[in-house]
Amino acid sequence: MIVKMDNFSTVKNFDRISLAQAVDLLNNAPTAELGERANALKYTLSGNTGFYAVNAAITYSNICEACCPICSFFRREGEEGAYLLSPDDVFERAKKFSEMGAEEIHIIGGIYRKLDFNYYLDVVRAVKNADKNLNVVSYTVSECALMAEVSGKSLEEVIEKLIEAGTDALPGGGAEIFDAEIRRKISPNKLTAQQWLDAMRVAHNLGLKTNATMLYGHMETPKEVVEHLDMLRRLQDETGGFKAFVPLPFRQGASSIKGRSSGVYDLKICALSRLMLDNFPHIRIPVPHFGDRLSQILLNFGADDIGGTHWNEEVAVAAGAQKQKRTPEFMRTVIEGAGLVPQKTNSNYV
C-alpha cells in the first residue's frame, strides 16, 4: 500500500523495496508496469506538479587534474582550450544571467590545486554581488574536499565559510557510481564513495540541502545501480538532507569508455529510482541531458522535476548533449505536454 508520507526521513505504512527486489525489477519487470508503479508513488508525493527552475551555469574552469576517463570536458593546465575565470568574470556572467531572468546560479569546476581557497569564496561572493537574490548552488563535494586539502581547514570549516560567502545549496555531482571497482576505471582520482557520502553528511549536518546523482549507462550492472541507490537511501534515512535525486545518462563524447544506455533503460532507471528512494522528495531529470520529448515521458515514470533552463551548460554539451533554447516558456510547455501543472522553484524547492 502506498500512502502519502508525512516525513521524508521516515517511511510510514510503505513496504520498502529490498535490494533483491530492486534488482529483479530492473532485470525483469515490464517497462510500462514499472513506470506505472513509480508514477503512483510520485503522485502521492508531489501530485500532478512538475517543477522547473530558471537558472544558469557558471563553470569557472575546465582545468582538472582528476582527468576522469568518462569526462569529455576537462583540459589539462596549458592545454589548448583550457581556461580559468576570474571573480570579475564570474560577476559579469552572473549579472548578465540575472538580467536575463535567472534566479539561480550553479557553480562548478574541476580539481585544480593551484587555486587558493579565497578564490572559491570570491567566486560565490561575486555572484551574490551581482544579485543578492540569486540562489547559489556551489560546489561539488569533490571540490569542497580539495578546498579543505589546500587550505588546511576541516571540511566543516570549508563548508561553513562557503555558507558565509553565500552558498545556498550543494550540487550532487561526483557521485558517479559507488561501486569501487567501476570507480577505479571511470573516475580513479575522485573521492571514494564513502568519502563522497561522508562529505554530504557534513553538509547536511551544517544545514545545507543537496542533490545526489548517479551516472549510469557505462560499465554498471543492475546490482551496482541498486547498491548505489541503497547507499543514498540509507544516508537520507540518517540526515534527511537530500532534496532531489538526479539520474544522469552517460554520453560517450570524446571518452574512450563506451556508452550503452537507451531510452528504455532511461525509463527503467528513473522508475526504479522513484520506487527505491522513497525518502527523497523529488526525482529530477534534467532536460539538457534527456531532451524535451523523453523528459515528458520520464515525468510519467516517477520524475516530478525537469531541472532548470541551465543556460550556458558546458559539461553535458561537451559530451554530446543536445543544445536547446530553454526559456521559462519552453520548460512550462514540456511539463504541460506531460499532463502536469508547471511550478517554478529552485534547488531548495522554495
Side-chain angles (χ1 to χ4, degrees):
M1 177 177 66
I2 296 174
V3 298
K4 189 172 180 64
M5 299 171 201
D6 299 318
N7 185 328
F8 285 103
S9 65
T10 304
V11 179
K12 299 177 179 179
N13 300 320
F14 180 83
D15 292 328
R16 176 165 277 188
I17 294 173
S18 70
L19 275 66
Q21 289 171 325
V23 171
D24 182 61
L25 285 172
L26 196 53
N27 278 325
N28 301 314
T31 305
E33 179 182 320
L34 190 60
E36 184 177 355
R37 290 180 61 179
N39 220 39
L41 179 54
K42 186 272 296 282
Y43 268 90
T44 69
L45 301 180
S46 52
N48 67 339
T49 301
F51 296 94
Y52 74 98
V54 182
N55 58 16
I58 297 179
T59 308
Y60 59 86
S61 181
N62 62 353
I63 302 171
C64 185
E65 298 165 15
C67 302
C68 295
I70 56 170
C71 183
S72 299
F73 180 69
F74 80 88
R75 296 292 184 273
R76 293 176 174 83
E77 184 180 20
E79 187 176 356
E80 182 179 356
Y83 71 84
L84 173 66
L85 301 181
S86 69
D88 287 342
D89 295 330
V90 171
F91 172 86
E92 292 299 329
R93 293 193 182 198
K95 187 174 180 61
K96 180 189 73 172
F97 290 136
S98 174
E99 291 170 350
M100 290 170 58
E103 299 175 1
E104 179 174 88
I105 300 293
H106 286 233
I107 307 172
I108 61 167
I111 305 301
Y112 190 29
R113 285 178 174 78
K114 288 189 177 180
L115 296 179
D116 183 82
F117 179 44
N118 286 324
Y119 169 85
Y120 297 98
L121 299 177
D122 288 342
V123 164
V124 174
R125 293 182 186 119
V127 174
K128 287 294 191 180
N129 288 337
D131 183 345
K132 66 180 181 180
N133 295 315
L134 285 168
N135 198 61
V136 177
V137 184
S138 63
Y139 300 84
T140 67
V141 289
S142 296
E143 292 162 282
C144 293
L146 175 67
M147 295 175 210
E149 178 186 330
V150 300
S151 68
K153 300 180 183 297
S154 69
L155 187 59
E156 288 88 345
E157 290 177 292
V158 163
I159 295 177
E160 285 173 344
K161 291 292 185 183
L162 289 172
I163 294 171
E164 289 174 10
T167 292
D168 297 296
L170 298 189
E176 318 307 2
I177 199 87
F178 287 150
D179 180 80
E181 184 177 348
I182 296 178
R183 287 181 83 82
R184 281 194 292 269
K185 295 176 181 177
I186 67 173
S187 55
N189 300 314
K190 279 190 175 178
L191 299 181
T192 66
Q194 193 58 56
Q195 288 170 331
W196 188 95
L197 292 163
D198 288 344
M200 281 295 182
R201 181 182 291 106
V202 169
H204 294 171
N205 289 340
L206 289 172
L208 278 184
K209 298 299 184 181
T210 75
N211 297 329
T213 60
M214 178 181 70
L215 186 70
Y216 67 90
H218 41 82
M219 299 178 178
E220 83 287 350
T221 68
K223 176 177 177 289
E224 283 94 45
V225 168
V226 169
E227 289 173 347
H228 184 104
L229 296 175
D230 181 62
M231 292 170 79
L232 292 175
R233 185 169 68 176
R234 285 187 278 126
L235 181 58
Q236 180 73 337
D237 279 342
E238 176 188 336
T239 68
F242 290 119
K243 296 297 286 186
F245 172 68
V246 189
L248 298 173
F250 172 64
R251 295 179 178 275
Q252 184 172 347
S255 170
S256 59
I257 295 172
K258 294 189 181 300
R260 55 177 184 81
S261 190
S262 69
V264 171
Y265 192 46
D266 292 335
L267 297 177
K268 298 187 81 169
I269 289 289
C270 179
L272 182 70
S273 300
R274 177 66 287 170
L275 290 170
M276 269 204 77
L277 299 178
D278 47 51
N279 53 1
F280 272 62
H282 304 283
I283 302 295
R284 180 182 302 164
I285 40 97
V287 71
H289 290 265
F290 292 97
D292 53 342
R293 298 198 175 195
L294 182 55
S295 294
Q296 289 178 325
I297 300 172
L298 292 166
L299 285 172
N300 287 282
F301 269 71
D304 67 343
D305 184 342
I306 60 169
T309 53
H310 225 57
W311 297 322
N312 200 46
E313 201 289 326
E314 297 180 84
V315 179
V317 169
Q322 180 183 2
K323 285 187 177 181
Q324 294 170 309
K325 186 178 181 181
R326 295 181 296 274
T327 63
E329 293 75 20
F330 169 85
M331 304 296 278
R332 290 192 293 269
T333 298
V334 171
I335 293 168
E336 289 168 349
L340 302 180
V341 177
Q343 181 172 321
K344 186 170 65 172
T345 188
N346 60 30
S347 286
N348 286 324
Y349 291 88
V350 293

